[in-house]
DNA sequence: AGGTCCTAAGTGAGTGATTACTCACGTCGG
DNA sequence: CCGACGTGAGTAATCACTCACTTAGGACCT
């Protein structure tokens, strides 16, 4: 077993542990067990528990490759809708696999916000730098083409509003028994997209036109009562 | 010192500690010090650390008196706007005093969502029971009067969308140095209200009519760059 | 009023368990 | 045979929690 590989295995195990029980709630013994090694070896790779935590946060700050494909799109209403749809879908899918990498990163981000917010700040800055320009340009383009009503100052705030909503939405669906029940996931996804796109200022016809292409159309109003 | 008073003092001190560092990150010695008593006395009042935590969560589940005034309002577009405005204002004001009671309750709720979600579930249910009916009725009334576009199924989801957005918004403003900078708070409040009301389906004229009454009107688009 | 309980408030100094972390010592490929 | 991988058995500190003990104040009797 090479040192580098071992290091990655430790980081992976530790990330799982920290995300589940937080920094203080996780013991080095637990991490070592999760990585199937002795505690001593753990401390051969990372001098302290804090250093291990810091390494995880640093590693999590790297870019998401899936995002890159979105950035090449030309600014347009279509791009805006694709962007929002991608974000909503991406986050909603997380709650189906609460132990996966991305859900853990979300947990780390939330715990960071409860603490000093440093990690969250870095992550927000990265997201903003990546998506901010294409979002803003697309929204402005949508206004020009008459698909959206005039945007006031700080259009980027609108992006964060959307991001906040979806993030908190997935957070309520993260515990084993969900905090809220929203109905069927597919319809929730549709409803969330509509809420956000309307919030951005897009008019109903533009939303319907772009959303109906690849998303289930708004079904007839009837109550379904299944739990989430 | 009576037993009841002492108990309340302990609860108050413990709530402060738990909200700041979480359950695992808080020691009984710290709590005792914060309450200016010995650890032994702490355990005379609460059999275990967990019982103390449970008592805090149980106490936090009581109704907010400020909410009650909203529930008497007749369902209308006006009520809907007042509701959203109240919620946004209430949450935004929290970030100005991160150590106050309500901010702590918010922290407890978030940590609960990262854990088993039990506390968050109870709190969500309480909020839903209180505000849900008047929200839904008001939204339906707004549709009837032509102030809002037709609402699909599960209108209550729209309320939670709004709630999620504002909750996550205040969370980014909770750390000493904010995770994101949104510009001036007054304009942020206005922008958040507009985003939500548009998201609910209200048309621009209805929003402007009800929002301009007691909120600063949308200023001319120009960038301001102060940090939050 | 003053003396005598008697219960509850309150504490210093512990308990064993668990914590993060260390060290002397095996083992194995090159 | 040497250096890096790997570990069992520790360490001191800290954890939640307990116990023997003092103190204070109100009820009750004389």
């Amino acid at each position: 077993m090479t040192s580098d590989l071992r290091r990655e295995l430790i980081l992976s195990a530790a990330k799982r542990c920290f995300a589940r029980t937080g920094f203080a709630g996780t013991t080095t013994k637990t991490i070592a067990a999760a990585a199937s090694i002795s505690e001593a070896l753990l401390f051969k790779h990372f001098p302290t528990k804090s250093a291990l935590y810091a390494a995880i946060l640093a590693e999590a700050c790297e870019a998401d490759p899936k995002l890159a494909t979105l950035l090449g799109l030309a600014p347009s209403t279509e791009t805006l809708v694709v962007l929002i749809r991608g974000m909503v879908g991406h986050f909603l899918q997380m709650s189906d696999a609460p132990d996966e990498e991305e859900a853990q990163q979300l947990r780390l981000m939330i715990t960071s916000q409860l603490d000093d917010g440093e990690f969250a700040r870095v992550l927000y800055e990265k997201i903003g730098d990546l998506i901010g320009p294409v979002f803003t340009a697309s929204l402005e383009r949508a206004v020009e083409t008459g698909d959206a009503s005039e945007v006031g100052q700080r259009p980027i705030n609108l992006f964060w509003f959307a991001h906040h909503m979806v993030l908190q939405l997935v957070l309520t669906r993260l515990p084993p028994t969900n905090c809220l029940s929203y109905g069927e996931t597919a319809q929730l996804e549709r409803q969330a997209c509509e809420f956000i796109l309307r919030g951005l200022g897009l008019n109903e016809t533009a939303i319907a036109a772009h959303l109906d292409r690849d998303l289930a159309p708004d079904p007839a109003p009837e109550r379904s009562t299944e739990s989430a």
Side-chain angles (χ1 to χ4, degrees), chain A:
Chain A
M1 173 78 61
T2 74
S3 188
D4 279 357
L5 175 55
R6 180 66 76 190
R7 183 189 155 90
E8 290 310 312
L9 291 179
I10 294 174
L11 279 174
S12 163
K15 190 186 285 188
R16 239 177 299 136
C17 296
F18 283 134
R20 223 186 300 251
T21 52
F23 181 77
T26 302
T27 72
T28 52
K29 179 183 287 190
T30 303
I31 298 171
S36 304
I37 55 167
S38 66
E39 258 188 289
L41 184 56
L42 182 83
F43 283 99
K44 283 260 165 70
H45 286 269
F46 299 93
T48 65
K49 180 185 172 187
S50 298
L52 173 57
Y53 191 66
I56 288 176
L57 296 191
E59 198 191 43
C61 284
E62 280 153 33
D64 189 339
K66 270 187 276 181
L67 265 179
T69 66
L70 290 176
L71 305 182
L73 300 176
S76 69
T77 308
E78 172 74 16
T79 297
L80 191 65
V81 174
V82 167
L83 204 75
I84 296 301
R85 240 198 60 58
M87 186 170 75
V88 171
H90 174 75
F91 274 79
L92 278 187
Q93 159 226 334
M94 256 187 224
S95 38
D96 299 332
D99 279 341
E100 290 305 318
E101 183 106 355
E102 280 157 345
Q104 289 160 31
Q105 186 163 325
L106 191 143
R107 292 183 122 103
L108 289 173
M109 183 154 157
I110 299 296
T111 56
S112 161
Q113 285 183 343
L114 294 178
D115 191 21
D116 64 353
E118 178 59 32
F119 174 60
R121 206 151 38 236
V122 173
L123 220 51
Y124 274 129
E125 194 182 335
K126 191 185 71 172
I127 296 172
D129 287 351
L130 277 176
I131 307 188
V134 56
F135 173 86
T136 307
S138 289
L139 186 54
E140 279 166 5
R141 187 89 187 93
V143 173
E144 286 168 19
T145 58
D147 286 332
S149 57
E150 217 178 309
V151 59
Q153 57 182 9
R154 287 193 169 261
I156 192 61
N157 280 6
L158 297 174
F159 170 74
W160 291 125
F161 292 167
H163 190 271
H164 292 345
M165 188 216 111
V166 189
L167 194 145
Q168 186 60 31
L169 176 60
V170 62
L171 213 60
T172 66
R173 291 159 56 92
L174 220 47
T177 58
N178 298 163
C179 299
L180 283 169
S181 63
Y182 301 93
E184 280 181 29
T185 300
Q187 284 163 26
L188 171 65
E189 189 170 350
R190 167 87 188 201
Q191 200 174 13
C193 285
E194 282 180 356
F195 177 85
I196 291 174
L197 292 172
R198 276 198 304 252
L200 297 181
L202 263 65
N203 58 51
E204 302 286 338
T205 57
I207 293 175
H210 289 91
L211 221 48
D212 279 337
R213 291 191 193 167
D214 51 355
L215 216 51
D218 209 6
E222 55 152 322
R223 300 300 155 94
S224 66
T225 50
E226 84 296 348
S227 153

